[in-house]
Amino acid sequence: MSNYTQILYEVDNGVATITLHRPDKMNAFTGTMMNEMISAFDAIDADDTVRAVIVTGHGDRAFCAGADLTPEDGKHVFASGEQVSDLSDARVRDGGGLLTLRIYECKKPVIAAINGAAVGIGVTMQLAMDIRLASETARFGFVFSRRGIVPEAASSWFLPRLVGPQQALEWCFTGRIFDAQEALKGGLVRSVHPAGELLAEAQKLAREIADNTAPVSVALTRHMLWRNSAQPHPMEAHKIDSRAIYRRSRSGDAKEGISSFLEKRAPNYPDKVSTDMPDFFPWWEEAVYN
């Protein structure tokens, strides 16, 4: 944890908080930040005490002001210094996408607390997170067309699913900056809060998850909703739903969930994400659905 230089990472009573921390650069994104965030999500998945995750930015000016256009190493911010003829080469992969794909694979619910400017990768990294809360001072921008590039970080997959194709296209075509209220109206964020209340609201939501739900059920639900909504036919979702309810209904968690409800007490779920995911997980790695 102490080796991180561009993020802060802490776990408090089951809630992990990742804070993007480049205060002199409005938390602008670099390769180092990408690697540190990926490492933090690796730690989150390996730690059964973590029940929910909050991602926010340092200070009150920016969540993340996009890619650092003047990186310290002097390299081109959008590409490696070498020409690559084979576009399937791993060196072509964009850093934002490596991060969002890692967040997508996470087994814990991820809440974004957007405390200020969020443009470029500062907004696209949020799309793989599950719930987004914004401060009244937050600003957003899919600015790629104004920089001569295109949306990255797998946002062409995430954004239309979150806000619909028409809204996604307008924001990406124009590349304009828009405020928190437009983000709320367009479906990008769940709620807007005074700046001084934002983190407390995110923590309240994280606590509701951490204190009341079965972690294995939440991990399964996260992947069922993200992945099954993209299936070509509901039958594929039905197959996974059926496997999941069959396995979960016979688990210690289900027994505890019913007992705690009937006894009117807080639950103490026994199953752990690290050891007790059902035998068909991860189902998307199967070559053929059975």
Side-chain angles (χ1 to χ4, degrees):
M1 308 305 178
S2 61
N3 292 330
Y4 295 145
T5 62
Q6 297 189 5
I7 68 170
L8 304 177
Y9 178 75
E10 61 178 338
V11 178
D12 181 22
N13 196 23
V15 176
T17 301
I18 298 172
T19 303
L20 312 184
H21 191 255
R22 297 188 72 211
D24 57 333
K25 292 280 192 174
M26 295 182 68
N27 306 322
F29 187 78
T30 69
T32 297
M33 182 180 286
M34 176 198 75
N35 289 326
E36 291 184 358
M37 291 185 73
I38 289 172
S39 174
F41 276 99
D42 289 344
I44 284 162
D45 272 347
D47 186 351
D48 284 321
T49 69
V50 174
R51 303 291 306 280
V53 186
I54 296 171
V55 181
T56 193
H58 173 83
D60 56 8
R61 294 181 62 204
F63 174 82
C64 173
D68 190 341
L69 299 180
T70 57
E72 294 178 359
D73 59 14
K75 293 181 180 179
H76 192 299
V77 69
F78 297 135
S80 64
E82 55 190 312
Q83 292 290 330
V84 178
S85 58
D86 180 2
L87 293 182
S88 66
D89 192 303
R91 289 172 293 177
V92 174
R93 301 270 299 279
D94 84 271
L98 296 177
L99 174 59
T100 57
L101 289 173
R102 179 61 189 88
I103 297 171
Y104 181 65
E105 297 295 337
C106 186
K107 298 183 179 72
K108 315 294 174 71
V110 185
I111 300 165
I114 306 143
N115 56 299
V119 300
I121 181 60
V123 64
T124 56
M125 76 164 69
Q126 303 168 22
L127 304 181
M129 302 177 194
D130 303 304
I131 305 170
R132 286 158 296 282
L133 287 67
S135 76
E136 293 172 338
T137 59
R139 297 292 183 271
F140 303 83
F142 297 90
V143 298
F144 309 99
S145 63
R146 298 194 180 202
R147 305 291 182 268
I149 54 171
V150 295
E152 37 62 273
S155 54
S156 59
W157 191 91
F158 287 107
L159 185 59
R161 283 171 168 78
L162 293 173
V163 304
Q166 180 171 258
Q167 183 64 85
L169 288 165
E170 178 191 338
W171 283 339
C172 292
F173 283 166
T174 65
R176 62 182 171 79
I177 303 297
F178 55 94
D179 63 18
Q181 287 301 324
E182 183 172 340
L184 178 65
K185 182 179 178 181
L188 181 60
V189 302
R190 168 257 204 187
S191 52
V192 176
H193 306 273
E197 300 174 12
L198 174 66
L199 195 55
E201 287 294 328
Q203 291 167 342
K204 178 181 177 182
L205 179 58
R207 285 256 57 84
E208 186 173 4
I209 296 168
D211 293 343
N212 299 293
T213 64
V216 171
S217 293
V218 169
L220 276 172
T221 299
R222 184 179 196 270
H223 284 277
M224 288 165 67
L225 292 181
W226 270 116
R227 296 175 187 277
N228 288 350
S229 64
Q231 293 286 4
H233 193 283
M235 177 57 75
E236 301 304 329
H238 170 64
K239 293 175 183 178
I240 301 305
D241 295 350
S242 299
R243 295 183 191 186
I245 196 67
Y246 182 86
R247 285 286 188 259
R248 288 271 77 208
S249 65
R250 288 156 177 76
S251 69
D253 279 353
K255 181 179 179 180
E256 171 62 10
I258 294 170
S259 296
S260 61
F261 173 75
L262 295 175
E263 296 167 11
K264 295 180 172 54
R265 59 174 175 81
N268 183 20
Y269 295 108
D271 291 353
K272 295 179 171 57
V273 169
S274 63
T275 57
D276 299 311
M277 297 297 287
D279 53 6
F280 65 89
F281 183 91
W283 64 86
W284 54 91
E285 294 183 359
E286 296 181 5
V288 179
Y289 288 99
N290 295 318

